[in-house]
Amino acid sequence: MKNSQEISPTKALALIKKGALLLDVREPKEVSKKSFDVSNVLQIPLRDLKKRLREIPVDRKVVIACHVGNRGMIAARFLVNNGYSKVVNMQHGIAGWEKEGLPVRKELKTATGSWFRKLFSRMS
């Protein structure tokens, strides 16, 4: 088994700004709550990686991320073992990314009862 390189969230952002693809291997529910606020993001849950492998460009630098880094490392090893040579795993995932103050998008939460107030405001 070949090893993949790990990089900090700050270095990951620098690579993304230079054109690297960010591959987010978290589950859709996790991504809907908090996501990376950058361009060039592809979201493929780890469980779907094998069947969606062709969506990931072989000739492009790929930064893999998850929540804290464990699934990212599994995905990075999988890609390296399948012929991808430009793969790095982001240490500490989106948790580390956010801790370093890098851009995230969070789920918008509506205030409790706001749907109820909207319903009654339409009736008046």
Side-chain angles (χ1 to χ4, degrees):
M1 184 184 297
K2 299 174 186 174
N3 290 327
S4 61
Q5 180 184 3
E6 285 196 292
I7 60 171
S8 71
T10 302
K11 287 184 181 176
L13 179 58
L15 287 175
I16 294 162
K17 285 182 177 180
K18 290 180 182 176
L21 174 68
L22 175 61
L23 175 61
D24 188 343
V25 296
R26 296 176 298 143
E27 292 295 316
K29 188 174 182 178
E30 293 174 275
V31 174
S32 70
K33 291 179 182 177
K34 187 184 303 178
S35 61
F36 296 94
D37 192 7
V38 295
S39 57
N40 297 321
V41 179
L42 176 61
Q43 201 277 319
I44 301 177
L46 181 61
R47 63 184 158 82
D48 295 338
L49 198 57
K50 186 176 181 179
K51 67 183 175 186
R52 294 180 59 190
L53 189 61
R54 292 179 188 237
E55 294 177 41
I56 306 164
V58 178
D59 59 345
R60 187 170 172 193
K61 187 78 160 183
V62 178
V63 176
I64 301 176
C66 61
H67 183 72
V68 294
N70 297 331
R71 285 174 286 176
M73 183 54 71
I74 293 167
R77 285 183 184 144
F78 175 77
L79 290 179
V80 167
N81 288 333
N82 281 277
Y84 288 77
S85 60
K86 299 177 180 183
V87 175
V88 294
N89 181 47
M90 183 173 53
Q91 298 168 327
H92 312 295
I94 197 163
W97 177 277
E98 188 174 32
K99 188 176 181 180
E100 289 190 23
L102 302 178
V104 293
R105 282 187 217 140
K106 292 185 179 180
E107 176 183 49
L108 296 176
K109 297 189 181 197
T110 48
T112 306
S114 64
W115 66 270
F116 196 67
R117 283 190 292 276
K118 285 180 185 176
L119 177 66
F120 280 103
S121 69
R122 289 184 192 148
M123 296 173 103
S124 24

